[in-house]
Structure formats: structure tokens, C-alpha cells
Amino acid sequence: MHQTHDIQILPAPVIRLIEELNRLPGVGPKTASRLTFFLLRAPDDLPLALAHALTALKQQVQLCSRCYFITQGDLCAICANPARDQRVICVVEEPLDVVAIERTGVYRGLYHVLHGRIAPLEGMNREDIYFDELLDRVRAEPVEEVIIATNPNLEGEATAFHLQRALAPLGVRVTRLARGLPTGGDLEWADPGTLGSALEGRREM
Amino acid sequence: MHQTHDIQILPAPVIRLIEELNRLPGVGPKTASRLTFFLLRAPDDLPLALAHALTALKQQVQLCSRCYFITQGDLCAICANPARDQRVICVVEEPLDVVAIERTGVYRGLYHVLHGRIAPLEGMNREDIYFDELLDRVRAEPVEEVIIATNPNLEGEATAFHLQRALAPLGVRVTRLARGLPTGGDLEWADPGTLGSALEGRREM
């Protein structure tokens, strides 16, 4: 990744930071180098504040003991909020999905973060994600509906299928996010799968 | 930059890291958030190694006492190398410019890093960059030629002009990087300024 000249003339800490930044997704050698030289020029507080924030992330953030969203305490802000509807659990793959759904402002129930999806080809099976923990919650909590909000792709659908099969015997209502045309989208540009889902899921006006 | 819901549900260290990353050039709120959640999932060693590299950058890297390139010791790798031609100094604006010129493999002289350029409108004057330090070097060292390699833009040209005027009385040869068509470029797409420079700088074949 680095040419010989760089290694000969750049101080070791500079090369190390370029290499560490290069490990981040979407950060190639050029961007890593640009960021490093920016940080060299920046006032001391910027790289040090970033270093502290990185250290604090791993030391202070853990998973909620109930829903596996991220939290500083035992329960996350959503589980700890008694105003949330305790009868609905929305199942998502990753913590960022919770943020996305919260942004809509239309959901007032709880969450369950799987931290992955079932993808046998990648070695991800039911026991590698928080799958059985969801079943335990449905048995123990006053849950009436589980909304499956895994991603609308192959692995997400497979995960939804396994969840539905496992939840059915527990006597809870299982729903899935609607498929259809994206708001603001253009029918002409919709892919056949999306358009097909929109037709199948058509509703009375 | 963050909507209310994010702040309500995300732990403080997560928000802090998103905000710190967001201060980097080219990293918007979405990228900062994506990187933060990647780091949350990543093995412990990755964010901690990055934190250490950031801390080391400021603690261990300083400017070369002679040419102001970056170094871990007193002199940078180039100034400390007796095989470099001590009679030529190439003047650049930023440390990354040294890396770019070294990559060409055609230059064997020394450097002088100004750490900026003269831009009065931005409050950058001669005394805000390592301008007079270059004059001191030319007086004290066995320099025969100064190659001005400031950027080929308005501020870079203005800086080159001031350098040339200040260096002329010192009896040293002052040259400027050639302007012309970029290698691999297409004449049809060259801007008028570049094409004009290429015509003016034409050479015997």
C-alpha cells in the first residue's frame, strides 16, 4: 500500500496512523494519508479528543441486557423508558437500524437487536446472533406483537423466515415491514421486485 | 447535525465519537455515524490501536529543525541523509508535497516546507510561514539552486513571487516547476491556462 519512498521518509507514528485509518471501511490509503496530515496540522486538542472518544467507546459502551441495543448503563434509553409500549417488539439486525426507525418518529414500542442475520454461507447461524434471546423475551414479557424489521434482502428474508417459524408457537402476532415503492420514488425506475411487492401489497384507498 | 431522537437514545460516548469524527475533513455526520458503529462492532484492538496512533502522532512527531518536514528526531530522514544533494533546496507548501515529489524518484536534493502560503486575504503573511527561515538557510548552507514548488494557483504563485524577490539578492539560482500539459492528458481537454503555459514553455525536440 505504501511505496518505498514514503516508508523511508515518513516518521513511524505517521505511517502507523495512516495504516490504522486505512483499516476503517471506506477509508483508502489516500484518504488515510490526507486525514493524517490534516491531524498533524490540527490543534493538539483534535487528535487527542478523538483518541479519548475512541477509548471511551470501548470502555463505557455496552449492550442493553434486555434488547442488546447500545447503552452506558444496564438498560438502554428505550428499555428504561416506561412510556414506550411494552407490548410491541421491533426486531432489527443492527443498532443503526434502531436509530433509523427512531428517526421516523412513528414507532413507540421496544426493540430487539439481533447483531447480525442468519447467513449460513458466512458461518452466521441462529446461535451466532441474539435469536433465542428474543424468544426468551417473548415468553417472559407481555408481548403481543413482534415486528420483523430485518433488511429486505436475501439474508434478511431468511432471518425473518426463521424468526417467524420460531415465534409462531408462542402465540404472538408476527408482522413484517411493508414492501413497496419508496416515498418520493419514481415508478418508472422501480426494480421489478419492488414494483411486484407494491402490487401484491396494494391497499384500498 | 443530530436529530433529537439520536441524542435521546444513543449513549453519550457514541454521540461524542460521532461528533469528533465529524470534525475531520470529508467526514460528514452519516460517515461519522457509520464509522462509529463499525468501531462498536470491531474487535477491541482496532479502536484502541487507532487511539494510540493518534496520541503518538502528537507526542512523537515534530518538525525538522532544518527544513520543517515532519520527523521523530531533530532532523528529518531527508536532511539526515548525507547522500542527498546539499546544493539544491526544493520549497513546498506542505509536508504532503514532499511525499509527492519523493514518489517521482527524480529529485535527490533537500526540501524546505513553508507550512502554508502567502494569502493576505486569509491573514497569512510572510511571518506566518517558514519564509525567513529559508533565507537564513540559503545564507548559511552551500545552496546553489532553490526550486520553488508552491502550488500552481493564485496563492502559490504569489508566494513564489515573494520568494523569488527575497532570494534574488542572495546570489542563488531560483527556478520554478515547469507548467504544461499533464502526462497522459488530452490536449482537447486542457484548460486555456495550462495550454498557454505549455506553448510558452515549449522546448526544442
Side-chain angles (χ1 to χ4, degrees):
Chain A
M1 133 198 173
H2 295 291
Q3 285 161 277
T4 328
H5 280 297
D6 294 26
I7 290 170
Q8 283 173 349
I9 62 164
L10 290 178
V14 172
I15 292 176
R16 188 150 70 91
L17 183 56
I18 292 174
E19 287 173 350
E20 289 298 336
L21 288 169
N22 190 208
R23 292 169 71 187
L24 299 176
V27 179
K30 282 224 166 182
T31 304
S33 165
R34 193 171 49 78
L35 288 174
T36 299
F37 280 85
F38 166 81
L39 288 163
L40 270 170
R41 272 200 314 271
D44 272 17
D45 102 277
L46 206 153
L48 293 182
L50 189 51
H52 291 152
L54 284 161
T55 311
L57 187 76
K58 282 295 174 177
Q59 284 171 351
Q60 296 172 19
V61 178
Q62 54 187 30
L63 300 186
C64 172
S65 65
R66 188 179 180 196
C67 78
Y68 305 99
F69 185 56
I70 48 175
T71 175
Q72 263 190 291
D74 178 49
L75 284 184
C76 74
I78 294 164
C79 285
N81 179 357
R84 306 287 304 212
D85 187 341
Q86 311 285 313
R87 295 165 302 174
V88 192
I89 294 180
C90 179
V91 185
V92 296
E93 296 182 20
E94 300 293 345
L96 257 183
D97 301 331
V98 172
V99 177
I101 293 175
E102 284 297 296
R103 281 211 185 103
T104 67
V106 304
Y107 183 66
R108 296 300 301 159
L110 304 176
Y111 290 93
H112 187 88
V113 186
L114 296 170
H115 286 270
R117 60 272 176 287
I118 294 180
L121 290 178
E122 299 167 25
M124 290 293 284
N125 296 302
R126 181 170 159 166
E127 59 274 19
D128 299 310
I129 61 179
Y130 293 105
F131 188 107
D132 292 323
E133 287 79 358
L134 172 66
L135 306 184
D136 292 342
R137 283 184 69 185
V138 172
R139 286 188 200 101
E141 298 176 24
V143 184
E144 293 174 11
E145 177 179 359
V146 173
I147 304 173
I148 302 182
T150 52
N151 285 322
N153 55 30
L154 202 65
E155 293 87 358
E157 290 298 347
T159 309
F161 173 75
H162 286 284
L163 284 168
Q164 192 272 326
R165 274 214 313 200
L167 288 164
L170 304 183
V172 74
R173 188 176 165 216
V174 181
T175 57
R176 179 103 175 89
L177 289 191
R179 302 282 282 271
L181 297 173
T183 301
D186 190 327
L187 201 126
E188 189 183 350
W189 303 111
D191 65 287
T194 301
L195 200 48
S197 305
L199 275 166
E200 282 166 20
R202 66 192 182 279
R203 304 211 287 185
E204 299 289 343
M205 288 180 63
Chain B
M1 134 199 172
H2 295 290
Q3 286 161 276
T4 328
H5 279 298
D6 294 26
I7 290 170
Q8 283 174 349
I9 62 164
L10 290 178
V14 172
I15 292 176
R16 188 149 70 92
L17 183 56
I18 292 174
E19 287 173 350
E20 289 299 335
L21 289 169
N22 190 208
R23 292 169 71 186
L24 299 176
V27 179
K30 282 224 166 181
T31 304
S33 164
R34 193 171 49 79
L35 288 173
T36 299
F37 280 85
F38 166 82
L39 288 163
L40 269 170
R41 272 199 314 271
D44 272 18
D45 102 277
L46 206 153
L48 293 183
L50 188 51
H52 291 152
L54 284 161
T55 311
L57 187 76
K58 283 294 174 177
Q59 284 171 351
Q60 296 172 20
V61 178
Q62 54 187 30
L63 299 186
C64 172
S65 65
R66 189 179 179 196
C67 78
Y68 305 99
F69 185 56
I70 49 175
T71 175
Q72 263 191 291
D74 178 49
L75 284 184
C76 74
I78 294 164
C79 285
N81 180 357
R84 306 287 305 212
D85 188 340
Q86 311 285 312
R87 295 165 302 174
V88 192
I89 294 179
C90 178
V91 185
V92 296
E93 295 182 21
E94 300 292 345
L96 257 183
D97 301 331
V98 172
V99 177
I101 292 175
E102 284 298 295
R103 281 211 186 104
T104 67
V106 304
Y107 183 67
R108 296 300 301 159
L110 304 176
Y111 290 93
H112 187 87
V113 185
L114 295 170
H115 287 270
R117 61 272 176 289
I118 294 179
L121 290 179
E122 299 167 25
M124 291 293 284
N125 296 302
R126 183 170 158 166
E127 58 274 18
D128 299 311
I129 61 178
Y130 293 105
F131 188 107
D132 292 324
E133 286 79 357
L134 172 67
L135 306 184
D136 292 342
R137 282 184 69 185
V138 171
R139 286 188 199 100
E141 298 176 24
V143 184
E144 293 173 10
E145 177 179 359
V146 173
I147 303 173
I148 302 181
T150 52
N151 285 322
N153 55 30
L154 201 64
E155 292 87 358
E157 290 298 347
T159 309
F161 173 74
H162 286 284
L163 284 168
Q164 191 271 327
R165 273 214 312 200
L167 288 164
L170 304 182
V172 74
R173 188 176 165 217
V174 181
T175 58
R176 179 104 176 88
L177 289 191
R179 301 283 282 270
L181 297 173
T183 301
D186 190 327
L187 201 125
E188 188 182 351
W189 303 111
D191 65 287
T194 301
L195 200 48
S197 304
L199 275 166
E200 282 167 19
R202 67 191 181 280
R203 303 211 288 185
E204 298 288 344
M205 288 181 63

